[in-house]
Amino acid sequence: MFAPTPDKLRYEGKAKQIYATDDPALIVMHYKDDATAFNGVKKAQIADKGVINCRLSTYFMEMMAKAGIPSAFIEQIGPRDQLCHVVEIIPVEVVVRNVVAGSLAKRLGVPEGGRLARPLVEHFYKSDALNDPQINEDGAILMGYAAGWELAAMREYSLRVNDALRTFWDGLGVDLVDFKLEFGRQNGRVVLADEISPDGSRLWERATGRKLDKDVFRRDLGDLSETYRELYQRVFGESLGG
Ligand code: UDP
């Protein structure tokens, strides 16, 4: 079985590490327990977050594969490790919104919670140094961040991911407010990359409005580890480790 060793570490991000494998076309994505917010200004260790996000992201990437959406994900090979194709990350993050929240509410000076008549697709230039500024598709093309056909594929896949995820969370009594996706280039095609997890989503319990995502940490609303355990229980019908 794969064991992440320091000599194989190729990249360390805020929530994950990337390890090389014996095959240059494959990497291992290792999920850490680190949580960060506000571009790394706020940091904490959240017990078992890596295990929970790895399992949830595996579940969702497998769901997307069944829906015909290609991704870099191949298989989960350990409690916090996924085997993935090497991709060239496209430096444009896609956010899909069903309900007004977060930076959209702030930018437009409107309250959170308003339901949008149809999903809103937004783009952000992936740059820690610039704090991920918003960009539109024309800007991304003209700056050379992505080709027009790539952005078209990203939009189509993002809306299909939204449909599948929204239906799924709906069935569990949870509203999918918004989420962020990343994409990569692999063999000349666009594939989903990174993760699909509550770290990059907003999930509100329908009956109570309670937040079941990383906003619990960002906004000091409670114990994120407990919240993620509860989500795990809802999705898999059993408690973590149980
Ligand atoms: N998001 C993310 N990484 C980022 C920025 C946003 O995963 O760097 C997610 C966030 O969790 C939310 C959605 O994208 O589900 C929309 O975030 P928003 O633009 O409202 O920004 P935020 O309020 O999180 O700063």
Side-chain angles (χ1 to χ4, degrees):
M1 199 175 109
F2 169 83
T5 52
D7 57 308
K8 296 265 164 117
L9 182 64
R10 290 296 173 267
Y11 172 81
E12 175 135 21
K14 286 179 273 212
K16 296 190 287 293
Q17 295 170 324
I18 304 295
Y19 289 88
T21 69
D22 294 338
D23 183 338
L26 303 178
I27 51 104
V28 168
M29 205 151 74
H30 179 81
Y31 288 70
K32 304 189 287 183
D33 285 343
D34 303 33
T36 65
F38 314 115
N39 199 10
V41 172
K42 181 172 177 176
K43 288 182 205 160
Q45 287 279 312
I46 308 294
D48 292 323
K49 180 172 87 78
V51 174
I52 294 168
N53 277 349
C54 183
R55 180 85 184 81
L56 283 170
S57 192
T58 292
Y59 186 75
F60 292 127
M61 290 299 182
E62 286 174 348
M63 181 186 290
M64 296 317 147
K66 284 186 195 124
I69 302 164
S71 79
F73 171 84
I74 300 169
E75 61 172 333
Q76 184 167 348
I77 57 167
R80 30 175 101 235
D81 296 294
Q82 294 174 332
L83 185 66
C84 300
H85 295 287
V86 170
V87 301
E88 180 192 351
I89 290 288
I90 296 172
V92 178
E93 298 185 348
V94 180
V95 167
V96 182
R97 304 180 183 274
N98 299 301
V99 175
V100 175
S103 73
L104 175 65
K106 215 171 180 176
R107 198 184 319 134
L108 300 183
V110 294
E112 292 192 305
R115 193 161 282 280
L116 297 161
R118 59 182 172 82
L120 170 61
V121 178
E122 293 184 338
H123 299 82
F124 295 86
Y125 173 46
K126 192 172 155 63
S127 164
D128 281 343
L130 299 174
N131 239 328
D132 297 349
Q134 197 180 9
I135 190 167
N136 66 14
E137 286 176 299
D138 257 357
I141 294 168
L142 291 168
M143 298 309 293
Y145 301 149
W149 70 268
E150 291 175 325
L151 290 160
M154 289 159 66
R155 173 180 289 267
E156 195 209 311
Y157 288 150
S158 298
L159 289 170
R160 282 167 58 190
V161 170
N162 185 50
D163 281 345
L165 282 183
R166 201 149 65 141
T167 304
F168 172 78
W169 285 115
D170 231 37
L172 296 180
V174 174
D175 278 332
L176 176 64
V177 170
D178 56 37
F179 60 93
K180 183 259 301 179
L181 295 177
E182 296 193 25
F183 292 88
R185 301 179 178 109
Q186 188 222 351
N187 287 339
R189 61 179 194 155
V190 170
V191 299
L192 252 179
D194 193 47
E195 65 185 280
I196 301 178
S197 79
D199 268 17
S201 314
R202 285 198 169 91
L203 300 163
W204 295 355
E205 188 173 52
R206 181 153 329 120
T208 63
R210 197 160 61 94
K211 294 176 174 42
L212 302 174
D213 54 62
K214 208 172 92 175
D215 271 350
V216 169
F217 169 70
R218 292 193 192 97
R219 303 181 185 187
D220 292 319
L221 301 175
D223 183 334
L224 188 66
S225 184
E226 266 316 304
T227 305
Y228 277 17
R229 272 167 209 282
E230 200 186 314
L231 265 186
Y232 185 100
Q233 165 83 42
R234 269 190 208 224
V235 171
F236 300 114
E238 58 179 31
S239 56
L240 179 67

mmCIF file of all heavy atoms in Angstrom, residues 93 95 97 101-104 107 122 124 132 178-180 198-202 215 218-219, ligand 1:
data_model
loop_
_atom_site.group_PDB
_atom_site.id
_atom_site.type_symbol
_atom_site.label_atom_id
_atom_site.label_comp_id
_atom_site.label_asym_id
_atom_site.label_seq_id
_atom_site.Cartn_x
_atom_site.Cartn_y
_atom_site.Cartn_z
ATOM 1 N N GLU A 93 -11.051 29.298 -11.014
ATOM 2 C CA GLU A 93 -11.968 28.550 -10.152
ATOM 3 C C GLU A 93 -13.399 28.874 -10.572
ATOM 4 O O GLU A 93 -13.696 30.024 -10.902
ATOM 5 C CB GLU A 93 -11.744 28.945 -8.688
ATOM 6 C CG GLU A 93 -10.337 28.622 -8.211
ATOM 7 C CD GLU A 93 -10.131 28.885 -6.726
ATOM 8 O OE1 GLU A 93 -10.982 29.525 -6.083
ATOM 9 O OE2 GLU A 93 -9.092 28.426 -6.214
ATOM 10 N N VAL A 95 -17.298 28.953 -9.390
ATOM 11 C CA VAL A 95 -18.245 28.891 -8.274
ATOM 12 C C VAL A 95 -19.649 28.828 -8.864
ATOM 13 O O VAL A 95 -19.983 29.603 -9.765
ATOM 14 C CB VAL A 95 -18.097 30.118 -7.339
ATOM 15 C CG1 VAL A 95 -19.266 30.224 -6.369
ATOM 16 C CG2 VAL A 95 -16.778 30.033 -6.568
ATOM 17 N N ARG A 97 -23.668 29.009 -7.743
ATOM 18 C CA ARG A 97 -24.507 29.449 -6.628
ATOM 19 C C ARG A 97 -25.982 29.198 -6.913
ATOM 20 O O ARG A 97 -26.453 29.501 -8.016
ATOM 21 C CB ARG A 97 -24.342 30.956 -6.401
ATOM 22 C CG ARG A 97 -22.914 31.397 -6.170
ATOM 23 C CD ARG A 97 -22.880 32.908 -5.953
ATOM 24 N NE ARG A 97 -21.533 33.401 -5.803
ATOM 25 C CZ ARG A 97 -20.848 33.441 -4.653
ATOM 26 N NH1 ARG A 97 -21.399 32.998 -3.533
ATOM 27 N NH2 ARG A 97 -19.616 33.929 -4.619
ATOM 28 N N ALA A 101 -25.039 34.094 -0.997
ATOM 29 C CA ALA A 101 -24.274 33.961 0.259
ATOM 30 C C ALA A 101 -22.859 34.474 0.015
ATOM 31 O O ALA A 101 -22.483 34.803 -1.122
ATOM 32 C CB ALA A 101 -24.232 32.498 0.721
ATOM 33 N N GLY A 102 -22.096 34.539 1.089
ATOM 34 C CA GLY A 102 -20.661 34.805 1.029
ATOM 35 C C GLY A 102 -20.290 36.048 0.262
ATOM 36 O O GLY A 102 -20.874 37.124 0.444
ATOM 37 N N SER A 103 -19.308 35.889 -0.633
ATOM 38 C CA SER A 103 -18.748 37.057 -1.319
ATOM 39 C C SER A 103 -19.751 37.723 -2.246
ATOM 40 O O SER A 103 -19.655 38.927 -2.507
ATOM 41 C CB SER A 103 -17.476 36.669 -2.095
ATOM 42 O OG SER A 103 -17.783 35.920 -3.244
ATOM 43 N N LEU A 104 -20.738 36.973 -2.741
ATOM 44 C CA LEU A 104 -21.759 37.593 -3.612
ATOM 45 C C LEU A 104 -22.609 38.569 -2.801
ATOM 46 O O LEU A 104 -22.865 39.700 -3.228
ATOM 47 C CB LEU A 104 -22.645 36.519 -4.251
ATOM 48 C CG LEU A 104 -23.821 37.043 -5.087
ATOM 49 C CD1 LEU A 104 -23.331 37.805 -6.312
ATOM 50 C CD2 LEU A 104 -24.746 35.904 -5.518
ATOM 51 N N ARG A 107 -20.384 41.609 -1.987
ATOM 52 C CA ARG A 107 -20.071 42.437 -3.158
ATOM 53 C C ARG A 107 -21.255 43.298 -3.563
ATOM 54 O O ARG A 107 -21.102 44.450 -3.940
ATOM 55 C CB ARG A 107 -19.695 41.489 -4.316
ATOM 56 C CG ARG A 107 -18.945 42.125 -5.459
ATOM 57 C CD ARG A 107 -18.705 41.104 -6.594
ATOM 58 N NE ARG A 107 -18.338 39.766 -6.159
ATOM 59 C CZ ARG A 107 -18.883 38.650 -6.645
ATOM 60 N NH1 ARG A 107 -19.792 38.694 -7.607
ATOM 61 N NH2 ARG A 107 -18.527 37.468 -6.195
ATOM 62 N N GLU A 122 -19.916 31.754 -11.519
ATOM 63 C CA GLU A 122 -18.919 32.831 -11.406
ATOM 64 C C GLU A 122 -17.517 32.251 -11.571
ATOM 65 O O GLU A 122 -17.301 31.066 -11.326
ATOM 66 C CB GLU A 122 -19.013 33.506 -10.031
ATOM 67 C CG GLU A 122 -20.295 34.273 -9.810
ATOM 68 C CD GLU A 122 -20.316 35.009 -8.474
ATOM 69 O OE1 GLU A 122 -19.573 34.619 -7.552
ATOM 70 O OE2 GLU A 122 -21.077 35.964 -8.359
ATOM 71 N N PHE A 124 -13.225 32.888 -10.798
ATOM 72 C CA PHE A 124 -12.213 33.590 -10.004
ATOM 73 C C PHE A 124 -10.837 33.144 -10.492
ATOM 74 O O PHE A 124 -10.618 31.956 -10.752
ATOM 75 C CB PHE A 124 -12.378 33.261 -8.515
ATOM 76 C CG PHE A 124 -13.679 33.768 -7.939
ATOM 77 C CD1 PHE A 124 -14.840 33.013 -8.036
ATOM 78 C CD2 PHE A 124 -13.753 35.016 -7.330
ATOM 79 C CE1 PHE A 124 -16.060 33.487 -7.533
ATOM 80 C CE2 PHE A 124 -14.965 35.502 -6.826
ATOM 81 C CZ PHE A 124 -16.117 34.732 -6.926
ATOM 82 N N ASP A 132 -7.488 35.555 -5.053
ATOM 83 C CA ASP A 132 -8.490 35.011 -5.983
ATOM 84 C C ASP A 132 -9.497 36.062 -6.479
ATOM 85 O O ASP A 132 -10.692 35.963 -6.176
ATOM 86 C CB ASP A 132 -9.269 33.848 -5.318
ATOM 87 C CG ASP A 132 -8.389 32.672 -4.966
ATOM 88 O OD1 ASP A 132 -7.222 32.632 -5.396
ATOM 89 O OD2 ASP A 132 -8.893 31.774 -4.255
ATOM 90 N N ASP A 178 -23.932 26.934 -2.436
ATOM 91 C CA ASP A 178 -22.930 27.206 -3.469
ATOM 92 C C ASP A 178 -21.751 26.260 -3.287
ATOM 93 O O ASP A 178 -21.656 25.553 -2.288
ATOM 94 C CB ASP A 178 -22.445 28.683 -3.425
ATOM 95 C CG ASP A 178 -21.896 29.098 -2.081
ATOM 96 O OD1 ASP A 178 -21.232 28.273 -1.414
ATOM 97 O OD2 ASP A 178 -22.104 30.243 -1.666
ATOM 98 N N PHE A 179 -20.871 26.227 -4.276
ATOM 99 C CA PHE A 179 -19.651 25.423 -4.169
ATOM 100 C C PHE A 179 -18.653 25.888 -5.207
ATOM 101 O O PHE A 179 -19.001 26.543 -6.186
ATOM 102 C CB PHE A 179 -19.935 23.916 -4.339
ATOM 103 C CG PHE A 179 -20.544 23.566 -5.660
ATOM 104 C CD1 PHE A 179 -19.756 23.180 -6.732
ATOM 105 C CD2 PHE A 179 -21.915 23.642 -5.864
ATOM 106 C CE1 PHE A 179 -20.306 22.866 -7.971
ATOM 107 C CE2 PHE A 179 -22.479 23.334 -7.086
ATOM 108 C CZ PHE A 179 -21.676 22.948 -8.140
ATOM 109 N N LYS A 180 -17.396 25.514 -4.962
ATOM 110 C CA LYS A 180 -16.297 25.878 -5.864
ATOM 111 C C LYS A 180 -15.715 24.630 -6.500
ATOM 112 O O LYS A 180 -15.535 23.624 -5.813
ATOM 113 C CB LYS A 180 -15.222 26.596 -5.044
ATOM 114 C CG LYS A 180 -14.048 27.114 -5.831
ATOM 115 C CD LYS A 180 -12.801 26.257 -5.773
ATOM 116 C CE LYS A 180 -12.237 26.032 -4.403
ATOM 117 N NZ LYS A 180 -11.022 25.167 -4.455
ATOM 118 N N PRO A 198 -17.191 19.563 1.824
ATOM 119 C CA PRO A 198 -17.785 20.710 2.544
ATOM 120 C C PRO A 198 -16.795 21.842 2.795
ATOM 121 O O PRO A 198 -17.196 22.931 3.194
ATOM 122 C CB PRO A 198 -18.292 20.096 3.862
ATOM 123 C CG PRO A 198 -17.600 18.794 3.993
ATOM 124 C CD PRO A 198 -17.281 18.327 2.611
ATOM 125 N N ASP A 199 -15.498 21.610 2.538
ATOM 126 C CA ASP A 199 -14.532 22.716 2.634
ATOM 127 C C ASP A 199 -14.798 23.757 1.547
ATOM 128 O O ASP A 199 -14.498 24.928 1.728
ATOM 129 C CB ASP A 199 -13.092 22.200 2.450
ATOM 130 C CG ASP A 199 -12.427 21.850 3.779
ATOM 131 O OD1 ASP A 199 -13.160 21.691 4.774
ATOM 132 O OD2 ASP A 199 -11.186 21.744 3.805
ATOM 133 N N GLY A 200 -15.302 23.292 0.408
ATOM 134 C CA GLY A 200 -15.502 24.205 -0.723
ATOM 135 C C GLY A 200 -16.955 24.362 -1.103
ATOM 136 O O GLY A 200 -17.266 24.704 -2.245
ATOM 137 N N SER A 201 -17.857 24.075 -0.150
ATOM 138 C CA SER A 201 -19.294 24.166 -0.427
ATOM 139 C C SER A 201 -19.984 24.895 0.713
ATOM 140 O O SER A 201 -19.454 24.960 1.827
ATOM 141 C CB SER A 201 -19.934 22.770 -0.505
ATOM 142 O OG SER A 201 -19.180 21.873 -1.276
ATOM 143 N N ARG A 202 -21.158 25.410 0.421
ATOM 144 C CA ARG A 202 -22.034 25.859 1.520
ATOM 145 C C ARG A 202 -23.243 24.942 1.550
ATOM 146 O O ARG A 202 -23.922 24.748 0.522
ATOM 147 C CB ARG A 202 -22.484 27.313 1.330
ATOM 148 C CG ARG A 202 -21.404 28.311 1.626
ATOM 149 C CD ARG A 202 -21.925 29.725 1.857
ATOM 150 N NE ARG A 202 -20.851 30.536 2.390
ATOM 151 C CZ ARG A 202 -20.003 31.247 1.633
ATOM 152 N NH1 ARG A 202 -20.137 31.250 0.319
ATOM 153 N NH2 ARG A 202 -19.051 31.944 2.193
ATOM 154 N N ASP A 215 -18.049 27.302 6.809
ATOM 155 C CA ASP A 215 -18.418 28.581 7.431
ATOM 156 C C ASP A 215 -18.468 28.447 8.960
ATOM 157 O O ASP A 215 -18.290 29.438 9.669
ATOM 158 C CB ASP A 215 -19.778 29.076 6.914
ATOM 159 C CG ASP A 215 -19.633 29.940 5.652
ATOM 160 O OD1 ASP A 215 -18.489 30.303 5.303
ATOM 161 O OD2 ASP A 215 -20.664 30.249 5.024
ATOM 162 N N ARG A 218 -14.978 29.369 9.573
ATOM 163 C CA ARG A 218 -14.702 30.756 9.154
ATOM 164 C C ARG A 218 -15.365 31.754 10.098
ATOM 165 O O ARG A 218 -14.798 32.776 10.438
ATOM 166 C CB ARG A 218 -15.257 31.013 7.740
ATOM 167 C CG ARG A 218 -14.563 30.273 6.617
ATOM 168 C CD ARG A 218 -15.007 30.867 5.263
ATOM 169 N NE ARG A 218 -14.617 30.035 4.125
ATOM 170 C CZ ARG A 218 -15.428 29.150 3.537
ATOM 171 N NH1 ARG A 218 -16.671 28.975 3.958
ATOM 172 N NH2 ARG A 218 -14.993 28.436 2.513
ATOM 173 N N ARG A 219 -16.608 31.447 10.511
ATOM 174 C CA ARG A 219 -17.403 32.428 11.274
ATOM 175 C C ARG A 219 -17.534 32.071 12.747
ATOM 176 O O ARG A 219 -18.393 32.624 13.449
ATOM 177 C CB ARG A 219 -18.790 32.541 10.645
ATOM 178 C CG ARG A 219 -18.734 32.922 9.166
ATOM 179 C CD ARG A 219 -20.111 33.064 8.548
ATOM 180 N NE ARG A 219 -20.016 33.309 7.109
ATOM 181 C CZ ARG A 219 -21.061 33.606 6.327
ATOM 182 N NH1 ARG A 219 -22.271 33.663 6.837
ATOM 183 N NH2 ARG A 219 -20.881 33.810 5.035
HETATM 184 N N1 UDP B 1 -14.679 28.745 -1.967
HETATM 185 C C1 UDP B 1 -13.603 27.890 -1.885
HETATM 186 N N2 UDP B 1 -12.344 28.414 -1.954
HETATM 187 C C2 UDP B 1 -12.113 29.741 -2.127
HETATM 188 C C3 UDP B 1 -13.222 30.612 -2.198
HETATM 189 C C4 UDP B 1 -14.494 30.074 -2.124
HETATM 190 O O1 UDP B 1 -13.758 26.695 -1.763
HETATM 191 O O2 UDP B 1 -10.944 30.156 -2.212
HETATM 192 C C5 UDP B 1 -16.048 28.197 -1.904
HETATM 193 C C6 UDP B 1 -16.754 28.558 -0.618
HETATM 194 O O3 UDP B 1 -16.606 27.529 0.330
HETATM 195 C C7 UDP B 1 -18.195 28.676 -1.056
HETATM 196 C C8 UDP B 1 -18.115 29.079 -2.523
HETATM 197 O O4 UDP B 1 -16.805 28.749 -2.944
HETATM 198 O O5 UDP B 1 -18.854 27.425 -0.982
HETATM 199 C C9 UDP B 1 -18.374 30.535 -2.764
HETATM 200 O O6 UDP B 1 -17.497 31.293 -1.967
HETATM 201 P P1 UDP B 1 -17.576 32.873 -1.944
HETATM 202 O O7 UDP B 1 -17.208 33.420 -3.289
HETATM 203 O O8 UDP B 1 -18.887 33.285 -1.410
HETATM 204 O O9 UDP B 1 -16.383 33.320 -1.022
HETATM 205 P P2 UDP B 1 -16.204 33.303 0.572
HETATM 206 O O10 UDP B 1 -17.412 33.936 1.176
HETATM 207 O O11 UDP B 1 -16.050 31.873 0.936
HETATM 208 O O12 UDP B 1 -14.962 34.107 0.730
#
